[in-house]
Amino acid sequence: MKRKLMVLGLVTTLFFTGFSVCNIDQTYAAEDVAKKDRKYTEKEIDSTVKERANQLIDALDGRCFTSDGYVAGYSGSGDDNVLKVLNKSKRVRKLNKKYKGGARPPEKSCLPYIYTEYGQMMPPAYSCVAFAMYAQWYMFANRYNDDVEVYKVIDDYKFNYKNMKKYARPGDVIWTYGGFSSGHASVVLEVTKQGVKVLDSNTAMYSSSDYGDNRVCVYILEYSDQWGVTISRPRNYYVHYSDGLKKTSYEKDARTIHEQVVARGDSVKIQKKKFKREGYTYSRYYITKVTDGKVRYLCKNKKTGERKWLSSKKITKSYKKVTVKAGDKLKLSSKRVKKGREITLMPVWKKKSA
């Protein structure tokens, strides 16, 4: 059985209204992800996004993302529009009430718009795009009335391990195309060498009655099955921990202390787990970001209290580096992170006393 890509009218400069159903042959052989492997493990992603993704999987894995819980066009279901699902799906509304404090976002503009190689898909959106919008909103909204905006990370890049390892993060929505489908939206859970572990709806890849049209599932989207990719990411910032040593890789640091995702203006609790370095210890972190290839420290003017991002060479006697204690809370405003979407915390190493 095949599904056709549906697009409801182009708006200015090829922007979509968001109608999309993937053109996929159901006999396509994808690797299903075993039940025990569907959820995140602690080492893969920070606890907030991991926890929210697992809530979605618990509630919706294998179920139809439609207003009445049936496949669109069958058993009385006439739609799978994201706004109608949010208005009518008892399961989705119950999930939102439990964890977001309300049944649905008050405005469609709260939902993230999905970037494609042509432009953006906007609500009301159907099928795979509908679920991707909702899932990304759910992962990054703290309350039911939060507005989740996204930006385009990469546009029309080759869909392969090198690019996905470099650019993709858990919680991103990827729009892939050119292989088994004319276009498909899914949410990144994990990047592997074989493909991207995704959470999505309407893959129609399975002959099993548990999966297919309009159903939510987790599986490996292999690199050989799609040609191009565009990535949408919420305008949150990411807290990465680094021991600051040249010999240590990003991957090793990330395995020791996992990355955290934070909405600008919200506080995040700094992890108590620490890096180890022979002969040294620490209790506080420097707050840094990279701009134009240079490391800049968040600094405070000793007299006025003014805060600035300064490179080591620009830190005068009037300024001191701002630090945050392990286990304390950190809150950075939009002003502090708007030009740097990744903050790195580095230990203030001190030699142990003999």
Side-chain angles (χ1 to χ4, degrees):
M1 180 178 66
K2 294 187 177 181
R3 304 281 295 181
K4 294 182 179 179
L5 180 69
M6 296 189 294
V7 180
L8 182 62
L10 295 175
V11 294
T12 312
T13 64
L14 287 176
F15 274 53
F16 296 97
T17 58
F19 248 117
S20 177
V21 179
C22 302
N23 179 18
I24 304 172
D25 192 326
Q26 196 167 9
T27 61
Y28 169 80
E31 179 181 338
D32 190 4
V33 177
K35 286 287 185 183
K36 64 182 179 63
D37 294 327
R38 290 185 181 278
K39 296 184 180 181
Y40 281 123
T41 58
E42 187 66 27
K43 67 182 181 180
E44 290 173 349
I45 185 60
D46 93 275
S47 57
T48 303
V49 171
K50 179 200 71 173
E51 181 181 7
R52 291 171 179 176
N54 287 341
Q55 289 166 2
L56 285 170
I57 294 168
D58 279 338
L60 301 176
D61 184 31
R63 298 181 180 276
C64 293
F65 189 72
T66 54
S67 59
D68 61 4
Y70 293 99
V71 175
Y74 299 94
S75 303
S77 180
D79 63 77
D80 50 359
N81 171 327
V82 64
L83 301 180
K84 290 183 179 179
V85 174
L86 289 170
N87 281 332
K88 297 180 181 180
S89 172
K90 293 181 180 179
R91 182 172 292 274
V92 170
R93 290 173 67 84
K94 182 179 179 181
L95 181 67
N96 293 338
K97 283 182 180 179
K98 182 176 181 180
Y99 293 108
K100 304 299 179 187
R104 58 153 292 165
E107 302 290 340
K108 67 179 182 180
S109 60
C110 291
L111 296 169
Y113 295 2
I114 305 303
Y115 281 98
T116 74
E117 76 273 32
Y118 300 112
Q120 279 182 299
M121 288 189 176
M122 310 170 192
Y126 288 69
S127 195
C128 60
V129 177
F131 177 74
M133 283 181 177
Y134 168 69
Q136 192 171 58
W137 172 84
Y138 186 90
M139 287 184 182
F140 290 92
N142 292 321
R143 294 281 296 170
Y144 74 96
N145 56 354
D146 282 353
D147 187 351
V148 176
E149 297 180 353
V150 299
Y151 67 99
K152 184 164 52 180
V153 180
I154 58 173
D155 184 18
D156 200 15
Y157 274 44
K158 186 173 181 180
F159 183 57
N160 57 27
Y161 176 67
K162 180 181 178 180
N163 285 336
M164 296 306 290
K165 182 70 174 177
K166 183 177 181 179
Y167 295 109
R169 297 174 188 260
D172 287 349
V173 167
I174 55 173
W175 173 259
T176 54
Y177 41 89
F180 68 74
S181 76
S182 301
H184 182 64
S186 54
V187 180
V188 175
L189 298 182
E190 179 188 1
V191 175
T192 75
K193 290 185 177 180
Q194 180 186 357
V196 181
K197 183 178 176 182
V198 297
L199 173 65
D200 74 1
S201 175
N202 200 47
T203 57
M205 290 179 177
Y206 302 93
S207 58
S208 166
S209 60
D210 290 338
Y211 295 95
D213 294 349
N214 305 109
R215 292 185 186 273
V216 175
C217 66
V218 178
Y219 67 101
I220 301 294
L221 179 58
E222 298 181 12
Y223 301 117
S224 58
D225 298 317
Q226 295 280 256
W227 302 339
V229 61
T230 296
I231 299 179
S232 303
R233 179 176 300 159
R235 292 186 180 277
N236 298 62
Y237 74 90
Y238 292 77
V239 175
H240 176 68
Y241 296 79
S242 171
D243 62 15
L245 306 179
K246 292 182 179 180
K247 65 179 181 180
T248 308
S249 67
Y250 181 98
E251 288 78 12
K252 186 176 180 180
D253 278 342
R255 286 196 298 270
T256 303
I257 304 179
H258 58 248
E259 193 176 57
Q260 294 173 277
V261 61
V262 190
R264 294 179 298 180
D266 285 355
S267 62
V268 57
K269 188 172 183 180
I270 304 305
Q271 296 186 53
K272 293 181 179 180
K273 190 174 183 180
K274 294 183 180 180
F275 296 107
K276 293 180 180 180
R277 182 182 178 189
E278 188 174 353
Y280 290 81
T281 186
Y282 69 96
S283 62
R284 308 187 74 86
Y285 290 100
Y286 293 122
I287 305 167
T288 74
K289 71 174 184 177
V290 176
T291 307
D292 299 326
K294 293 183 179 180
V295 176
R296 286 176 165 78
Y297 294 82
L298 184 60
C299 298
K300 181 179 180 180
N301 187 295
K302 296 176 183 178
K303 291 185 178 181
T304 66
E306 179 191 18
R307 298 194 176 200
K308 286 185 176 181
W309 294 101
L310 298 172
S311 62
S312 294
K313 293 182 179 180
K314 297 287 186 179
I315 302 175
T316 64
K317 292 182 179 180
S318 299
Y319 285 87
K320 66 177 182 179
K321 295 176 182 176
V322 175
T323 61
V324 60
K325 190 176 181 180
D328 278 1
K329 290 184 177 181
L330 174 66
K331 183 176 180 179
L332 295 175
S333 67
S334 300
K335 181 179 179 180
R336 296 282 167 244
V337 297
K338 67 179 181 180
K339 292 184 179 179
R341 295 189 178 95
E342 182 175 291
I343 304 301
T344 301
L345 301 186
M346 294 193 296
V348 183
W349 291 111
K350 292 184 178 181
K351 284 189 176 182
K352 293 180 180 178
S353 56

